[in-house]
Amino acid sequence: GNGCGTVTSDVANVVVLPDPIVSAQPLATQTLCQNETATNLSVTATGGTGTFNYQWYSSTTATTTGGNAVGTNSPIFTPPTTTVGTLYYYCVITQTGNGCAVTSNSAAVIVNTSPTIANQPISSTVCQNGTPTTLSYTYNNGVGTPTYQWYSNTTNSNTGGSLIPNETSSTFNPPSNTIGTFYYYGIITFPTLVGSCSSVTTDVAVVTINPQSTVDAQPLPPQ
């Protein structure tokens, strides 16, 4: 219109910052037994602008999208180990600054069924130089090829015993040449597992060696 000049707005300052980055990723993978305490997953983010917020997700595949929200607003998350299987966890980190976000790598948590002793070694009582029951045991679950080791003890306990050299199978024939009461147990170890479930110990088998009976009074010779 006639005589209408121009008008200029104030300056609008638009600052574009780089997105934040994950400077410390969660532990890439860990293998545990059921109900064992997992190592915490943690992330550290730097850059961007504003306050960081954290949301952890779980997924059945090694992906960083489409997972189920777990945990609370924390850079640290302890994965559960109550269910056997493999789950993958990742963290989406957002900021109060508009559009500032970053996602961590995926972390695999592998939970195996804990090994257990299926059949325990059996105690026995024999006379000196007799034949005690062969000690043996079997196991359920476990991962990989196990190793076996038998131990002897001076007390009825399956800890603190002495390793029996060369007795590295699931069976053991205890000696009977010495009179007394002896305590034996076996430990099976799974090298591919870690933590408290990497080995499992049998109950104690008690082997009692009694002296041979003797004749205290001989019959009288014929008269």
Side-chain angles (χ1 to χ4, degrees):
N2 187 29
C4 295
T6 60
V7 63
T8 301
S9 73
D10 293 337
V11 173
N13 186 31
V14 178
V15 180
V16 180
L17 298 173
D19 280 331
I21 63 171
V22 180
S23 55
Q25 297 285 354
L27 180 66
T29 183
Q30 56 182 305
T31 302
L32 311 105
C33 277
Q34 192 174 18
N35 298 317
E36 187 178 10
T37 301
T39 299
N40 288 336
L41 303 178
S42 63
V43 292
T44 301
T46 57
T49 183
T51 303
F52 285 111
N53 296 292
Y54 307 87
Q55 179 60 61
W56 290 90
Y57 293 85
S58 68
S59 176
T60 56
T61 58
T63 182
T64 56
T65 59
N68 298 313
V70 294
T72 57
N73 181 19
S74 172
I76 299 173
F77 172 66
T78 304
T81 59
T82 53
T83 303
V84 173
T86 301
L87 284 177
Y88 301 87
Y89 298 91
Y90 63 93
C91 187
V92 175
I93 306 166
T94 57
Q95 287 180 295
T96 52
N98 188 26
C100 296
V102 64
T103 301
S104 75
N105 295 339
S106 177
V109 178
I110 304 165
V111 179
N112 294 309
T113 304
S114 299
T116 58
I117 300 297
N119 296 290
Q120 299 284 355
I122 299 174
S123 301
S124 62
T125 299
V126 298
C127 287
Q128 188 176 19
N129 298 319
T131 304
T133 301
T134 298
L135 303 182
S136 65
Y137 61 95
T138 60
Y139 69 93
N140 289 326
N141 307 317
V143 177
T145 302
T147 59
Y148 301 87
Q149 181 61 60
W150 286 94
Y151 292 81
S152 64
N153 211 345
T154 56
T155 61
N156 193 349
S157 173
N158 63 357
T159 61
S162 299
L163 180 149
I164 304 175
N166 303 319
E167 295 299 338
T168 56
S169 73
S170 61
T171 61
F172 168 57
N173 292 306
S176 62
N177 58 321
T178 303
I179 296 169
T181 300
F182 304 90
Y183 306 95
Y184 301 100
Y185 62 92
I187 295 180
I188 184 170
T189 302
F190 297 87
T192 57
L193 296 180
V194 295
S196 62
C197 66
S198 61
S199 65
V200 61
T201 304
T202 71
D203 293 340
V204 173
V206 182
V207 177
T208 303
I209 310 299
N210 290 323
Q212 292 282 357
S213 57
T214 59
V215 177
D216 294 330
Q218 295 291 343
L220 293 172
Q223 299 297 321

